Amino acid sequence: MVLTINGTKKEMPEDTTTIHKLLDHLQLGNKKAVVERNGMIIKKEEQEQEPVKEGDSLEIVHFVGGG
């Protein structure tokens, strides 16, 4: 399945069926992240059930600590 993530088309495994699974695949599952799918922000509590489909456009912003 091809998704556009932060402006770049990326091939994702077919079992990447939800935003939660996508974040796990991108190794962002344990990090605080804001996800926008097709122009709509997806709340953290909805990410486990929110589907991703071929051609979706996602913006993912995750927070990095530093000092």
Side-chain angles (χ1 to χ4, degrees):
M1 155 173 42
V2 177
L3 302 173
T4 302
I5 300 174
N6 296 344
T8 303
K9 290 191 183 283
K10 295 189 178 194
E11 183 72 34
M12 291 291 128
E14 290 298 322
D15 66 348
T16 308
T17 56
T18 65
I19 289 180
H20 179 75
K21 288 181 180 181
L22 173 66
L23 291 175
D24 280 347
H25 177 76
L26 298 173
Q27 300 178 344
L28 296 173
N30 294 328
K31 298 182 180 179
K32 292 187 180 204
V34 175
V35 180
E36 179 185 279
R37 182 176 64 84
N38 301 327
M40 301 290 293
I41 293 178
I42 308 302
K43 295 179 184 176
K44 178 77 171 167
E45 59 270 12
E46 297 172 354
Q47 291 177 1
E48 196 156 337
Q49 300 298 320
E50 189 68 27
V52 287
K53 298 177 182 147
E54 178 79 29
D56 277 351
S57 179
L58 298 114
E59 294 293 324
I60 302 172
V61 177
H62 63 94
F63 302 93
V64 179

